[in-house]
Amino acid sequence: MSDDKLVGIVLVSHSAAVAASVAELAQGLSGGGPRVPVAPAGGTEGGGFGTSAELVVAAAASVDRGAGVAVLTDLGSAVLTVKALLAEGDELPDGTRLVDAPFVEGAVAAVVTAATGADLDTVVAAAAEAYSYRKA
């Protein structure tokens, strides 16, 4: 399957390093299937900690293949930034959804599921299901 039919994933973190590392981890754990379009949107334009609407918009545009874009966030203001962009209605690609999921586990589940060619609803559900992963 070519990546032009896959759901895109955006990882929004307050840290560029965290967003990039989680993207690398999720891609690495997705196996040898198609390469899911994943883009980190971490930190600010100047390289500091925080969130940037401009970086989120650019990341979403870069992964949009027409099958939808799942956006996962780490902390409060990242969520607020994405919600504000979705409310504006014209900044993010059609079919962009904010996913309520744990950042690392949800990202891995989203990328692994997207690599199977699953639709946006299935990718979102897989990421959200990561809340139920027990560690003890």
Side-chain angles (χ1 to χ4, degrees):
M1 173 177 295
S2 66
D3 74 352
D4 61 346
K5 300 295 184 205
L6 298 176
V7 171
I9 312 291
V10 174
L11 302 175
V12 183
S13 173
H14 284 68
S15 162
V18 169
S21 294
V22 172
E24 180 183 5
L25 176 67
Q27 288 266 351
L29 295 177
S30 68
R35 189 151 176 89
V36 174
V38 178
T44 64
E45 289 89 349
F49 291 114
T51 55
S52 162
E54 291 79 15
L55 291 177
V56 173
V57 169
S62 77
V63 301
D64 181 25
R65 304 294 186 270
V69 175
V71 181
L72 288 89
T73 60
D74 63 357
L75 302 170
S77 66
V79 175
L80 295 175
T81 298
V82 174
K83 283 184 174 181
L85 288 168
L86 288 168
E88 289 174 20
D90 60 352
E91 295 284 333
L92 297 172
D94 288 341
T96 298
R97 301 244 313 261
L98 175 60
V99 182
D100 183 10
F103 193 62
V104 175
E105 296 91 334
V108 171
V111 172
V112 168
T113 302
T116 69
D119 66 10
L120 182 60
D121 287 339
T122 304
V123 170
V124 168
E129 188 177 319
Y131 272 127
S132 68
Y133 298 169
R134 303 301 308 163
K135 297 177 183 175

Coordinates of all heavy atoms in Angstrom, one line a residue, residues 31-112:
G31 N 6.8 -1.6 12.3 CA 7.1 -2.8 11.5 C 7.5 -2.4 10.1 O 7.8 -1.3 9.8
G32 N 7.6 -3.4 9.2 CA 8.1 -3.2 7.9 C 7.1 -2.8 6.9 O 7.3 -2.9 5.7
G33 N 5.9 -2.4 7.3 CA 4.8 -2.1 6.4 C 5.0 -0.7 5.8 O 6.1 -0.1 5.8
P34 N 4.0 -0.1 5.2 CA 4.1 1.2 4.6 C 4.5 2.2 5.6 O 4.2 2.1 6.8 CB 2.7 1.5 4.0 CG 1.8 0.4 4.4 CD 2.7 -0.7 5.1
R35 N 5.2 3.2 5.2 CA 5.7 4.3 6.1 C 4.6 5.3 6.3 O 4.2 6.0 5.3 CB 6.9 4.9 5.5 CG 7.6 5.9 6.5 CD 9.1 6.0 6.3 NE 9.7 6.9 7.1 CZ 10.2 6.7 8.3 NH1 10.1 5.5 8.8 NH2 10.7 7.6 9.0
V36 N 4.0 5.3 7.4 CA 2.9 6.3 7.8 C 3.5 7.7 7.8 O 4.5 7.9 8.4 CB 2.3 5.9 9.1 CG1 1.3 6.9 9.5 CG2 1.7 4.5 9.1
P37 N 2.8 8.7 7.2 CA 3.2 10.0 7.3 C 3.0 10.6 8.7 O 1.9 10.7 9.2 CB 2.4 10.8 6.3 CG 1.2 9.9 6.0 CD 1.6 8.5 6.4
V38 N 4.1 10.8 9.4 CA 4.1 11.3 10.8 C 5.0 12.6 10.8 O 6.1 12.6 10.3 CB 4.7 10.3 11.7 CG1 4.8 10.8 13.2 CG2 4.0 8.9 11.7
A39 N 4.5 13.6 11.5 CA 5.2 14.8 11.6 C 5.2 15.3 13.1 O 4.1 15.4 13.7 CB 4.7 15.9 10.7
P40 N 6.4 15.6 13.7 CA 6.4 16.2 15.0 C 6.1 17.7 14.9 O 6.5 18.3 13.9 CB 7.8 15.9 15.5 CG 8.6 15.8 14.2 CD 7.7 15.3 13.2
A41 N 5.4 18.2 15.9 CA 5.2 19.7 15.9 C 5.5 20.1 17.4 O 4.7 20.2 18.2 CB 3.8 20.1 15.6
G42 N 6.8 20.2 17.7 CA 7.2 20.4 19.1 C 7.9 21.7 19.3 O 8.6 22.2 18.5
G43 N 7.6 22.3 20.5 CA 8.2 23.5 20.9 C 7.7 24.7 20.1 O 6.7 24.7 19.4
T44 N 8.5 25.8 20.1 CA 8.2 27.0 19.5 C 9.1 27.2 18.2 O 10.1 26.5 18.1 CB 8.4 28.2 20.4 OG1 9.8 28.3 20.8 CG2 7.5 28.1 21.7
E45 N 8.8 28.2 17.4 CA 9.6 28.4 16.2 C 11.0 28.7 16.6 O 11.9 28.4 15.8 CB 9.0 29.6 15.4 CG 7.7 29.3 14.7 CD 6.5 29.6 15.5 OE1 6.6 29.8 16.8 OE2 5.4 29.5 15.0
G46 N 11.2 29.4 17.7 CA 12.6 29.7 18.2 C 13.3 28.6 18.9 O 14.5 28.8 19.3
G47 N 12.7 27.4 19.0 CA 13.4 26.3 19.6 C 13.1 26.1 21.1 O 13.7 25.3 21.7
G48 N 12.3 27.0 21.6 CA 12.0 26.9 23.1 C 10.9 25.9 23.4 O 10.3 25.3 22.5
F49 N 10.6 25.8 24.7 CA 9.5 25.0 25.1 C 8.2 25.7 24.9 O 8.1 27.0 25.1 CB 9.6 24.6 26.6 CG 10.8 23.6 26.8 CD1 11.8 24.0 27.6 CD2 10.7 22.3 26.3 CE1 12.9 23.1 27.8 CE2 11.8 21.4 26.6 CZ 12.8 21.9 27.3
G50 N 7.2 25.0 24.5 CA 5.8 25.6 24.3 C 5.2 25.0 23.1 O 5.6 23.9 22.6
T51 N 4.1 25.6 22.6 CA 3.4 25.1 21.4 C 3.2 26.2 20.4 O 3.1 27.4 20.8 CB 2.1 24.5 21.8 OG1 1.3 25.4 22.5 CG2 2.2 23.2 22.6
S52 N 3.2 25.8 19.2 CA 3.2 26.8 18.1 C 2.1 26.4 17.1 O 2.1 25.3 16.5 CB 4.5 26.9 17.4 OG 4.3 27.5 16.1
A53 N 1.1 27.2 17.0 CA 0.0 27.0 16.0 C 0.6 26.8 14.6 O 0.2 26.0 13.8 CB -1.0 28.1 16.1
E54 N 1.6 27.7 14.3 CA 2.2 27.6 13.0 C 2.8 26.3 12.7 O 2.7 25.7 11.6 CB 3.2 28.8 12.8 CG 2.5 30.1 12.7 CD 2.2 30.7 14.1 OE1 2.6 30.2 15.2 OE2 1.3 31.6 14.1
L55 N 3.6 25.7 13.7 CA 4.2 24.4 13.5 C 3.2 23.3 13.4 O 3.3 22.4 12.6 CB 5.1 24.1 14.7 CG 6.4 25.0 14.8 CD1 7.2 24.7 16.0 CD2 7.2 24.9 13.5
V56 N 2.1 23.4 14.1 CA 1.0 22.4 14.0 C 0.4 22.4 12.6 O 0.2 21.4 12.0 CB -0.1 22.6 15.1 CG1 -1.3 21.7 14.9 CG2 0.5 22.4 16.5
V57 N 0.1 23.6 12.1 CA -0.5 23.8 10.8 C 0.4 23.2 9.7 O 0.0 22.5 8.9 CB -0.9 25.2 10.5 CG1 -1.2 25.5 9.1 CG2 -2.0 25.7 11.4
A58 N 1.7 23.5 9.8 CA 2.7 23.0 8.8 C 2.8 21.5 8.9 O 2.8 20.8 7.9 CB 4.0 23.7 9.1
A59 N 2.8 21.0 10.1 CA 2.9 19.5 10.3 C 1.7 18.8 9.7 O 1.8 17.8 9.0 CB 3.1 19.2 11.8
A60 N 0.5 19.3 10.0 CA -0.7 18.7 9.5 C -0.7 18.7 8.0 O -1.1 17.8 7.3 CB -1.9 19.4 10.1
A61 N -0.3 19.9 7.4 CA -0.3 20.0 5.9 C 0.7 18.9 5.3 O 0.4 18.3 4.3 CB 0.1 21.4 5.5
S62 N 1.8 18.7 6.0 CA 2.8 17.8 5.5 C 2.4 16.4 5.5 O 3.0 15.6 4.8 CB 4.1 18.0 6.3 OG 4.1 17.4 7.5
V63 N 1.5 16.0 6.4 CA 1.1 14.6 6.5 C -0.2 14.3 5.8 O -0.7 13.1 5.8 CB 1.1 14.0 7.9 CG1 2.5 14.2 8.6 CG2 0.0 14.7 8.8
D64 N -0.9 15.3 5.4 CA -2.3 15.1 4.8 C -2.2 14.4 3.5 O -1.6 14.9 2.5 CB -3.0 16.5 4.7 CG -4.4 16.4 4.1 OD1 -5.0 15.3 4.2 OD2 -4.8 17.4 3.5
R65 N -2.8 13.2 3.4 CA -2.9 12.5 2.2 C -4.3 12.3 1.7 O -4.6 11.5 0.9 CB -2.2 11.1 2.3 CG -0.8 11.1 2.8 CD 0.2 11.7 1.8 NE 1.6 11.6 2.2 CZ 2.2 12.5 2.9 NH1 1.6 13.6 3.3 NH2 3.5 12.3 3.2
G66 N -5.3 13.0 2.4 CA -6.7 12.9 2.0 C -7.4 11.9 2.8 O -8.6 11.7 2.6
A67 N -6.8 11.1 3.7 CA -7.4 10.1 4.5 C -7.7 10.5 5.9 O -8.2 9.8 6.7 CB -6.6 8.8 4.5
G68 N -7.4 11.8 6.2 CA -7.5 12.3 7.5 C -6.2 12.5 8.2 O -5.2 11.9 7.9
V69 N -6.3 13.3 9.3 CA -5.1 13.6 10.1 C -5.5 13.4 11.5 O -6.4 14.1 12.0 CB -4.5 15.0 9.8 CG1 -3.3 15.3 10.8 CG2 -4.1 15.1 8.4
A70 N -4.7 12.6 12.3 CA -4.9 12.4 13.7 C -3.9 13.2 14.4 O -2.7 13.0 14.1 CB -4.8 10.9 14.1
V71 N -4.3 14.0 15.4 CA -3.4 14.9 16.1 C -3.4 14.4 17.6 O -4.4 14.4 18.2 CB -3.8 16.4 16.0 CG1 -2.8 17.2 16.8 CG2 -3.9 16.8 14.6
L72 N -2.2 14.1 18.1 CA -2.0 13.7 19.5 C -1.2 14.8 20.1 O -0.2 15.3 19.5 CB -1.3 12.4 19.6 CG -2.2 11.2 19.2 CD1 -2.0 10.8 17.7 CD2 -1.8 9.9 20.0
T73 N -1.5 15.1 21.4 CA -0.9 16.2 22.1 C -0.4 15.7 23.5 O -0.8 14.6 24.0 CB -1.9 17.3 22.4 OG1 -3.0 16.8 23.1 CG2 -2.4 17.9 21.1
D74 N 0.6 16.4 24.0 CA 1.1 16.0 25.3 C 0.4 16.7 26.5 O -0.2 16.0 27.3 CB 2.6 16.1 25.4 CG 3.2 17.6 25.2 OD1 2.4 18.5 25.0 OD2 4.4 17.7 25.3
L75 N 0.5 18.0 26.6 CA 0.0 18.7 27.8 C -1.1 19.8 27.4 O -1.3 20.1 26.2 CB 1.2 19.4 28.5 CG 2.3 18.4 28.9 CD1 3.5 19.2 29.4 CD2 1.8 17.5 30.0
G76 N -1.6 20.4 28.4 CA -2.7 21.3 28.3 C -2.7 22.3 27.2 O -3.7 22.4 26.4
S77 N -1.7 23.2 27.1 CA -1.8 24.2 26.1 C -1.6 23.7 24.7 O -2.1 24.3 23.7 CB -0.7 25.3 26.4 OG 0.6 24.8 26.2
A78 N -1.0 22.5 24.6 CA -1.0 21.9 23.2 C -2.4 21.5 22.8 O -2.8 21.7 21.7 CB -0.1 20.6 23.2
V79 N -3.2 21.0 23.8 CA -4.6 20.6 23.5 C -5.3 21.9 23.1 O -6.1 21.9 22.1 CB -5.2 20.0 24.7 CG1 -6.7 19.7 24.5 CG2 -4.5 18.7 25.1
L80 N -5.1 23.0 23.9 CA -5.9 24.2 23.6 C -5.5 24.8 22.3 O -6.3 25.3 21.5 CB -5.6 25.2 24.7 CG -6.1 24.9 26.1 CD1 -5.6 25.9 27.1 CD2 -7.6 24.7 26.1
T81 N -4.2 24.7 21.9 CA -3.8 25.2 20.6 C -4.5 24.4 19.5 O -5.0 25.1 18.5 CB -2.2 25.0 20.4 OG1 -1.6 25.9 21.4 CG2 -1.8 25.5 19.1
V82 N -4.5 23.1 19.6 CA -5.2 22.3 18.5 C -6.7 22.6 18.5 O -7.3 22.7 17.4 CB -4.9 20.8 18.7 CG1 -5.6 20.0 17.7 CG2 -3.4 20.6 18.5
K83 N -7.3 22.7 19.6 CA -8.7 23.0 19.7 C -9.0 24.3 19.0 O -10.0 24.5 18.3 CB -9.2 23.0 21.1 CG -9.4 21.6 21.7 CD -10.0 21.6 23.1 CE -10.4 20.2 23.6 NZ -11.0 20.2 24.9
A84 N -8.2 25.3 19.3 CA -8.4 26.6 18.7 C -8.3 26.6 17.2 O -9.1 27.2 16.4 CB -7.4 27.6 19.3
L85 N -7.3 25.8 16.7 CA -7.1 25.7 15.2 C -8.3 24.9 14.6 O -8.8 25.3 13.5 CB -5.8 24.9 14.9 CG -4.5 25.7 15.2 CD1 -3.3 24.7 15.1 CD2 -4.4 26.8 14.2
L86 N -8.8 23.9 15.3 CA -10.0 23.2 14.8 C -11.2 24.1 14.8 O -12.0 24.1 13.8 CB -10.3 21.9 15.6 CG -9.3 20.8 15.4 CD1 -9.4 19.7 16.5 CD2 -9.4 20.2 14.0
A87 N -11.4 25.0 15.8 CA -12.5 25.9 15.9 C -12.5 26.9 14.7 O -13.5 27.3 14.2 CB -12.5 26.6 17.2
E88 N -11.3 27.3 14.4 CA -11.1 28.3 13.3 C -11.6 27.7 12.0 O -12.2 28.4 11.1 CB -9.7 28.8 13.1 CG -9.2 29.7 14.2 CD -7.8 30.0 14.2 OE1 -7.1 29.9 13.1 OE2 -7.2 30.4 15.3
G89 N -11.4 26.4 11.8 CA -12.0 25.7 10.7 C -11.3 25.7 9.4 O -11.6 24.9 8.5
D90 N -10.4 26.6 9.2 CA -9.7 26.7 7.9 C -8.2 26.6 7.9 O -7.5 26.6 6.9 CB -10.1 28.0 7.2 CG -9.6 29.2 7.9 OD1 -9.2 29.1 9.1 OD2 -9.8 30.4 7.4
E91 N -7.7 26.4 9.1 CA -6.2 26.3 9.3 C -5.7 24.8 9.0 O -4.6 24.6 8.5 CB -5.8 26.7 10.7 CG -6.1 28.2 11.0 CD -5.1 29.1 10.3 OE1 -3.9 28.7 10.0 OE2 -5.4 30.2 10.0
L92 N -6.5 23.8 9.4 CA -6.0 22.4 9.4 C -6.8 21.7 8.2 O -7.9 22.1 7.8 CB -6.3 21.7 10.7 CG -5.6 22.3 11.9 CD1 -6.0 21.6 13.2 CD2 -4.1 22.1 11.7
P93 N -6.1 20.7 7.7 CA -6.8 20.0 6.6 C -8.2 19.4 7.0 O -8.4 19.1 8.2 CB -5.8 18.8 6.3 CG -4.5 19.3 6.8 CD -4.8 20.1 8.0
D94 N -9.1 19.3 6.0 CA -10.3 18.6 6.3 C -10.0 17.2 6.8 O -9.1 16.5 6.4 CB -11.2 18.5 5.0 CG -11.7 19.8 4.5 OD1 -11.8 20.8 5.4 OD2 -12.1 19.9 3.3
G95 N -10.8 16.8 7.8 CA -10.6 15.4 8.3 C -9.6 15.4 9.4 O -9.0 14.3 9.7
T96 N -9.2 16.5 10.0 CA -8.3 16.6 11.1 C -9.0 16.4 12.4 O -10.0 17.0 12.6 CB -7.5 17.9 11.1 OG1 -6.7 18.0 9.9 CG2 -6.5 17.9 12.3
R97 N -8.5 15.4 13.2 CA -9.2 15.2 14.5 C -8.1 15.2 15.6 O -7.0 14.7 15.5 CB -9.8 13.8 14.5 CG -10.8 13.6 13.4 CD -12.2 13.3 13.9 NE -12.4 12.3 14.9 CZ -12.8 11.1 14.7 NH1 -12.9 10.6 13.5 NH2 -12.9 10.3 15.7
L98 N -8.5 15.9 16.7 CA -7.7 15.8 18.0 C -8.1 14.5 18.7 O -9.2 14.1 18.8 CB -8.1 17.0 18.9 CG -7.5 17.0 20.3 CD1 -6.0 17.1 20.2 CD2 -8.0 18.2 21.0
V99 N -7.0 13.8 19.0 CA -7.2 12.4 19.6 C -7.0 12.5 21.1 O -5.9 13.0 21.6 CB -6.2 11.4 19.0 CG1 -6.5 10.0 19.6 CG2 -6.4 11.4 17.5
D100 N -8.0 12.0 21.9 CA -7.8 11.9 23.3 C -7.1 10.6 23.6 O -7.8 9.5 23.7 CB -9.2 12.0 24.0 CG -9.1 12.0 25.5 OD1 -8.0 12.1 26.1 OD2 -10.2 11.8 26.1
A101 N -5.8 10.7 23.8 CA -5.0 9.4 24.0 C -3.7 9.8 24.7 O -3.3 10.9 24.7 CB -4.7 8.8 22.7
P102 N -3.1 8.8 25.4 CA -1.8 9.1 26.0 C -0.8 9.3 24.9 O -0.9 8.7 23.8 CB -1.5 7.8 26.8 CG -2.4 6.7 26.2 CD -3.6 7.5 25.7
F103 N 0.1 10.2 25.1 CA 1.0 10.7 24.0 C 1.9 9.6 23.4 O 1.8 9.4 22.2 CB 1.9 11.8 24.5 CG 2.6 12.6 23.4 CD1 1.8 13.3 22.5 CD2 3.9 12.6 23.4 CE1 2.5 14.0 21.4 CE2 4.6 13.3 22.4 CZ 3.8 14.0 21.4
V104 N 2.6 8.9 24.2 CA 3.5 7.9 23.7 C 2.8 6.6 23.2 O 2.9 6.2 22.0 CB 4.7 7.5 24.7 CG1 5.5 6.4 24.1 CG2 5.5 8.8 25.0
E105 N 2.1 6.0 24.1 CA 1.3 4.8 23.8 C 0.3 5.0 22.7 O 0.1 4.2 21.8 CB 0.6 4.2 25.0 CG 1.6 3.8 26.1 CD 1.9 4.8 27.1 OE1 1.8 6.1 26.8 OE2 2.2 4.5 28.2
G106 N -0.4 6.2 22.7 CA -1.3 6.5 21.7 C -0.7 6.7 20.3 O -1.2 6.3 19.3
A107 N 0.5 7.4 20.3 CA 1.2 7.6 19.1 C 1.6 6.3 18.4 O 1.4 6.1 17.2 CB 2.4 8.5 19.3
V108 N 2.1 5.4 19.2 CA 2.5 4.1 18.7 C 1.3 3.3 18.2 O 1.3 2.8 17.0 CB 3.2 3.2 19.8 CG1 3.5 1.8 19.3 CG2 4.6 3.9 20.2
A109 N 0.2 3.3 18.9 CA -1.0 2.6 18.5 C -1.5 3.3 17.2 O -2.0 2.5 16.3 CB -2.1 2.6 19.6
A110 N -1.5 4.6 17.1 CA -2.0 5.3 15.9 C -1.2 4.9 14.7 O -1.7 4.6 13.6 CB -2.1 6.8 16.2
V111 N 0.1 5.0 14.8 CA 1.0 4.7 13.7 C 0.9 3.3 13.2 O 0.8 3.0 12.0 CB 2.4 5.2 14.0 CG1 3.4 4.7 12.9 CG2 2.5 6.7 14.2
V112 N 0.9 2.4 14.2 CA 0.8 0.9 13.9 C -0.5 0.7 13.1 O -0.6 -0.1 12.1 CB 1.0 0.1 15.1 CG1 0.6 -1.4 14.8 CG2 2.4 0.1 15.6

